[in-house]
Amino acid sequence: DAMVIQNPRYQVTQFGKPVTLSCSQTLNHNVMYWYQQKSSQAPKLLFHYYDKDFNNEADTPDNFQSRRPNTSFCFLDIRSPGLGDAAMYLCATSRGTGNLDEQYFGPGTRLTVT
Amino acid sequence: AQKVTQAQTEISVVEKEDVTLDCVYETRDTTYYLFWYKQPPSGELVFLIRRNSFDEQNEISGRYSWNFQKSTSSFNFTITASQVVDSAVYFCALSEIGTALIFGKGTTLSVSS
């Protein structure tokens, strides 16, 4: 049974056209994360929510925003995608933010910017 | 400064060979956690193991084993009798207290039949 679901798996958007990626979880975890993974690179944390508390990484561009309307769902909004934003976007969840809290990852959404 | 180094970018082996994936980390904290994740072609990151800095005991899980050595700041991962299904990108990651996961750049393992 899928625990962290990401839709769509593949998304194509135009340069500058806003796009939203979605993530849902069936684990009832408190924390949801968004990572960006560019080709042949390691995943890089963009931000995370602990319940409704939003935590932005210092170097995450303002172009990236997130919403978490409830425990199960979290959205990644890219306001004006550039060619450099083409990447795999991974959503993850965990019970808490402690180091013993294993992160469960979704299958990712591969974003193409044309 | 890069905190997790996976010096092997790509490794190719033939089925049934043993293969070791290297991971060297850097931290000033005395308490930290090390992880290995597998990323198959389908894309999701699959958790394999977590180790805390106070537990240097090596671990074996089926064909997988991990060698943690604080003296050399290494946390190497060995797959015994590799199989085609082991083909994936493997990431080593470090988590210091209160920080996010810091991933290495990954090692792509290709196992051919």
Side-chain angles (χ1 to χ4, degrees):
Chain A
D1 292 336
M3 297 184 290
V4 183
I5 303 159
Q6 291 189 244
N7 286 308
R9 294 293 310 276
Y10 300 91
Q11 176 75 56
V12 180
T13 191
Q14 293 177 340
F15 183 95
K17 184 175 181 181
V19 65
T20 294
L21 309 181
S22 71
C23 176
S24 63
Q25 53 133 339
T26 59
L27 297 162
N28 203 34
H29 280 172
N30 295 313
V31 190
M32 296 186 77
Y33 307 80
W34 279 105
Y35 288 84
Q36 179 192 64
Q37 185 181 19
K38 295 189 176 180
S39 181
S40 301
Q41 294 187 23
K44 179 180 178 302
L45 182 65
L46 295 174
F47 27 59
H48 74 274
Y49 272 96
Y50 194 118
D51 290 333
K52 295 184 178 180
D53 292 333
F54 178 70
N55 298 272
N56 200 29
E57 292 299 298
D59 55 355
T60 298
D62 292 340
N63 196 27
F64 292 87
Q65 304 286 321
S66 186
R67 295 171 283 134
R68 189 178 185 187
N70 54 53
T71 300
S72 300
F73 285 87
C74 194
F75 300 99
L76 170 62
D77 301 308
I78 308 176
R79 293 192 295 189
S80 181
L83 297 178
D85 295 328
M88 174 79 88
Y89 289 88
L90 295 164
C91 175
T93 74
S94 65
R95 285 181 302 175
T97 54
N99 300 97
L100 293 179
D101 291 306
E102 174 187 337
Q103 292 187 24
Y104 293 80
F105 284 82
T109 294
R110 186 169 295 283
L111 177 69
T112 300
V113 181
T114 60
Chain B
Q2 186 174 354
K3 293 195 171 186
V4 180
T5 302
Q6 295 180 255
Q8 304 148 308
T9 306
E10 294 182 17
I11 301 177
S12 295
V13 299
V14 178
E15 258 191 324
K16 299 183 184 178
E17 283 187 29
D18 298 347
V19 59
T20 295
L21 309 181
D22 297 334
C23 174
V24 174
Y25 63 92
E26 177 188 331
T27 179
R28 294 181 179 177
D29 288 3
T30 55
T31 303
Y32 52 90
Y33 297 81
L34 296 163
F35 303 78
W36 276 95
Y37 282 86
K38 174 183 180 179
Q39 188 173 40
S42 52
E44 75 274 22
L45 281 163
V46 178
F47 169 84
L48 296 177
I49 190 172
R50 171 183 51 240
R51 241 327 167 242
N52 74 60
S53 52
F54 298 107
D55 183 2
E56 284 193 75
Q57 190 172 11
N58 292 331
E59 181 157 336
I60 298 174
S61 176
R63 295 185 298 108
Y64 294 170
S65 62
W66 290 270
N67 185 311
F68 176 29
Q69 297 210 349
K70 288 178 74 171
S71 60
T72 56
S73 297
S74 65
F75 186 42
N76 296 338
F77 172 34
T78 298
I79 302 175
T80 303
S82 59
Q83 300 175 3
V84 172
V85 293
D86 296 327
S87 298
V89 182
Y90 290 86
F91 289 96
C92 180
L94 166 72
S95 177
E96 297 161 336
I97 293 293
T99 69
L101 282 173
I102 304 166
F103 287 90
K105 292 188 175 181
T107 297
T108 300
L109 175 64
S110 299
V111 182
S112 57
S113 57

